[in-house]
Amino acid sequence: MGVFSGILEWIVGTFGILSLFQWIVLFSVFIVYIYWSWTKNYGVFEKQGLFSIPPKLFFGNTKEIVMQTKAFTPFHQDIYKQFGERKYGIYYDASSPVLYIKDPDLVKQVLVKDFDHFVDFGFMPKEITEMPINELGLVNSVGEKWKSLRASIAPAFSLKNIKSIGTKINAPALDVIDAIGNSPDGEVDMEKLTGHYAIDCIGRIVFSMDFQTIKSNGNEIVTNGDKFFDIWRFFFSTSLPKIARLFNVSVMNPKTANFFISMSENILKGRNGVNSYPNDVLGLMMKIRDQKLDPEENDLQGQRQALAAKLMTDTMISRTLIQFFLDGYDTVRSLLSIVFYLVATHPEVQDRLMAEVDDMVTRVGANITGDDVKELKYLDQVFHESSRIGAVAFTLRRCTKKWTIPGTDVVIPEDMGILIPIQGLHSDPKYFPEPEKFDPDRFSPENKAKIKTGTFLPFGMGPRGCIGMQIAQMEAKILMYHVFRKFHLEPTEKTVIPIKWRVDHFNQIYGGVTL
């Protein structure tokens, strides 16, 4: 009662004792203010000649997603179609106008050529980006801070390191083979198993540790990884950032985030004070922090290296490790389960893939390396076509300084969001004929060269593209090799055909992937 009495005293002290009529007027003014705040941006860019899909109050253009009546992939494919032949327009994320770009040349200009205008990710509004619970280290960093950290961390994901990573990935891949061989009734939950595989790969690549997730059929890391994102939190905090900040509502589940923060801090604490730097991602970040990297001869690179050393605090390291857990777990699990679903439901593709794998088996057996993987051309085609069908629906950037849309007088202001419709481009018959068809030959050497730049973006593009893209691909391809080296996959009665998407996840298959 004390809190309530205090609030009542504040109201009476501020406004005095009001009559019923005065309260009604005050309440009406409040409602009008809320309505004005929510709709003040509607129609601003349309006056400059930009097309928009008419927004709905409170939801903008996102109602079907927020209410979970439509999955992300079909929703964004439909939005893409509503823009017709227009190259760009305005999409409303709740009350916020976002520049929606569907022209591949403009996509390339935003992500690459004019990158200095779009340096920052736009998944979280500025108001909530720096909330402690939302902090994700490298991915949340902006401007020169991001450039310095990215340049310093990039060597951990270089081609040189990726070749050696292949040997680290073989062990968890073989654990997957054992788990499939021991599956009851010959049925296996590939979505669950690929998630366990992803966690064990993170353990070996990032920490040089064996989490034994596959052997134990799951652990605390998996349990918490599955609870990282609540869709309601994501939409509430990104649609109402000021209110989310006021009430401390984070994008991530706080309990899960704290689990990973604690885990990362404990691993880091165990290494601190030991005068060695293991050859893994954590070891590289500690080298950056302790200024143990080889000095750069280039002045600019040297300056960024020095700045990175100042920025790479233990907090930055632990928060960046959370990002690696988040991306390395969910991204790899979703992509690999989609690969196995599509191959299992297309026997002609599987037969051709297995023939290529069998040929490699005669030469290397189970000890496949990064160099061997490069020779699996059809496996590469299968992976890329699966990535086209199963990629996340969109990516976002934030305008970091005013930008004029080429060929127009329309100025995009600082802090405005830019949406790149990945699934719209991936399913546009202009770029991918019969887009609903699973056809790995789209990515044959002769056809791959014909794919227009800016239309195939499963890992983004440009400097802000996924830093772990090549590692994710290596993980996927090595597991694909081992699975099809030993097994033929088929759908079961539980397999939903044709493919449908969950409404409560960004790109997971409805009904799971039991094969």
Side-chain angles (χ1 to χ4, degrees):
M1 287 294 292
V3 174
F4 178 77
S5 300
I7 293 173
L8 188 60
E9 287 176 10
W10 178 82
I11 291 173
V12 171
T14 303
F15 297 102
I17 299 175
L18 304 179
S19 67
L20 177 61
F21 175 75
Q22 288 171 321
W23 275 113
I24 291 172
V25 171
L26 186 64
F27 181 73
S28 299
V29 170
F30 174 73
I31 293 298
V32 169
Y33 173 76
I34 293 295
Y35 177 82
W36 172 82
S37 297
W38 206 274
T39 60
K40 64 181 179 180
N41 293 321
Y42 290 174
V44 171
F45 288 93
E46 289 84 341
K47 292 175 183 177
Q48 299 181 56
L50 270 64
F51 169 83
S52 72
I53 300 170
K56 292 181 171 62
L57 187 61
F58 300 121
F59 296 101
N61 299 136
T62 66
K63 184 176 181 179
E64 291 171 306
I65 290 291
V66 175
M67 303 303 292
Q68 295 189 5
T69 57
K70 207 170 202 176
F72 276 82
T73 292
F75 171 80
H76 279 279
Q77 288 171 340
D78 183 57
I79 292 290
Y80 184 89
K81 290 174 184 175
Q82 290 186 54
F83 275 87
E85 294 300 312
R86 299 172 183 89
K87 294 182 177 182
Y88 49 83
I90 295 297
Y91 169 87
Y92 286 99
D93 182 6
S95 63
S96 300
V98 174
L99 181 64
Y100 186 100
I101 296 178
K102 60 178 293 187
D103 175 65
D105 293 326
L106 273 181
V107 168
K108 183 180 176 181
Q109 187 140 3
V110 166
L111 299 184
V112 182
K113 187 178 178 182
D114 289 345
F115 175 72
D116 62 317
H117 289 263
F118 307 99
V119 176
D120 301 344
F121 268 135
F123 285 99
M124 282 190 269
K126 269 189 172 180
E127 292 91 337
I128 61 171
T129 300
E130 294 183 1
M131 286 173 61
I133 201 68
N134 287 336
E135 182 58 53
L136 285 174
L138 176 64
V139 74
N140 274 11
S141 300
V142 298
E144 278 301 315
K145 179 179 177 181
W146 170 80
K147 290 177 182 177
S148 299
L149 289 169
R150 168 83 180 212
S152 297
I153 291 176
F157 304 90
S158 67
L159 287 171
K160 178 183 174 182
N161 275 329
I162 288 167
K163 286 181 182 179
S164 63
I165 282 168
T167 55
K168 294 186 177 183
I169 295 172
N170 267 317
L174 292 171
D175 288 341
V176 170
I177 300 308
D178 290 341
I180 295 176
N182 295 325
S183 58
D185 305 319
E187 288 191 1
V188 61
D189 182 344
M190 291 303 288
E191 186 176 275
K192 180 178 80 171
L193 200 48
T194 54
H196 293 179
Y197 169 72
I199 290 293
D200 281 348
C201 287
I202 292 168
R204 290 173 182 272
I205 295 167
V206 179
F207 301 103
S208 295
M209 294 172 66
D210 183 3
F211 290 145
Q212 298 202 345
T213 315
I214 300 164
K215 290 177 181 176
S216 60
N217 195 28
N219 51 31
E220 276 188 300
I221 301 173
V222 172
T223 303
N224 282 279
D226 287 336
K227 297 174 183 175
F228 230 123
F229 272 124
D230 296 318
I231 291 294
W232 75 266
R233 283 182 176 279
F234 179 80
F235 282 112
F236 181 85
S237 57
T238 55
S239 299
L240 300 167
K242 291 180 180 177
I243 296 176
R245 187 177 181 88
L246 179 66
F247 291 99
N248 202 32
V249 178
S250 61
V251 171
M252 295 178 290
N253 182 315
K255 187 176 179 181
T256 297
N258 287 327
F259 168 84
F260 282 105
I261 290 170
S262 177
M263 178 181 174
S264 299
E265 287 176 346
N266 286 336
I267 294 173
L268 181 59
K269 194 181 298 180
R271 285 202 187 178
N272 282 335
V274 178
N275 191 26
S276 65
Y277 300 92
N279 184 27
D280 54 31
V281 175
L282 177 55
L284 177 75
M285 289 196 288
M286 292 176 69
K287 274 188 175 182
I288 296 169
R289 179 197 66 187
D290 298 342
Q291 300 188 56
K292 297 294 185 181
L293 292 179
D294 294 333
E296 293 281 356
E297 294 181 6
N298 179 292
D299 287 343
L300 178 59
Q301 290 296 327
Q303 290 171 12
R304 285 184 174 169
Q305 201 175 78
L307 177 58
K310 293 179 181 178
L311 297 171
M312 192 61 78
T313 61
D314 283 3
T315 299
M316 175 63 75
I317 291 174
S318 63
R319 295 310 176 107
T320 300
L321 293 176
I322 295 175
Q323 177 205 341
F324 292 148
F325 270 116
L326 178 60
D327 290 346
Y329 174 55
D330 197 61
T331 301
V332 172
R333 173 183 60 170
S334 297
L335 261 180
L336 269 170
S337 56
I338 289 163
V339 167
F340 291 125
Y341 172 94
L342 290 169
V343 172
T345 54
H346 293 82
E348 72 288 352
V349 170
Q350 184 164 194
D351 290 343
R352 188 172 161 189
L353 176 58
M354 290 181 75
E356 181 183 63
V357 168
D358 287 345
D359 180 63
M360 178 67 76
V361 170
T362 62
R363 288 181 280 139
V364 304
N367 299 312
I368 191 166
T369 67
D371 286 330
D372 296 326
V373 168
K374 292 179 183 178
E375 297 182 33
L376 296 167
K377 303 299 183 185
Y378 190 66
L379 185 146
D380 179 75
Q381 292 174 210
V382 170
F383 174 78
H384 279 92
E385 175 67 347
S386 301
S387 301
R388 181 187 69 83
I389 291 173
V392 293
F394 62 96
T395 188
L396 288 164
R397 298 292 185 270
R398 181 183 293 119
C399 186
T400 50
K401 57 183 178 181
K402 290 180 181 180
W403 181 72
T404 303
I405 299 176
T408 76
D409 295 325
V410 179
V411 176
I412 302 304
E414 187 176 331
D415 288 338
M416 185 169 178
I418 312 294
L419 189 148
I420 311 296
I422 294 173
Q423 272 295 342
L425 291 161
H426 284 195
S427 58
D428 191 330
K430 183 164 41 176
Y431 310 120
F432 300 99
E434 296 183 89
E436 70 288 343
K437 182 181 178 182
F438 179 57
D439 179 13
D441 281 331
R442 296 182 202 275
F443 293 91
S444 65
E446 58 272 19
N447 289 332
K448 196 172 183 179
K450 300 174 186 175
I451 296 174
K452 186 174 177 61
T453 302
T455 62
F456 181 62
L457 305 163
F459 292 93
M461 186 170 70
R464 272 283 189 177
C466 176
I467 193 172
M469 174 183 69
Q470 291 175 316
I471 288 179
Q473 290 184 4
M474 184 67 73
E475 287 180 32
K477 291 174 184 179
I478 284 180
L479 184 61
M480 290 168 67
Y481 170 80
H482 282 295
V483 169
F484 294 113
R485 176 176 67 85
K486 298 286 286 184
F487 302 105
H488 186 280
L489 301 180
E490 295 179 356
T492 71
E493 291 182 358
K494 301 173 187 175
T495 313
V496 177
I497 303 174
I499 195 168
K500 289 177 64 178
W501 303 98
R502 283 172 50 178
V503 297
D504 60 346
H505 192 273
F506 294 107
N507 63 333
Q508 277 190 0
I509 294 174
Y510 175 76
V513 185
T514 302
L515 302 172

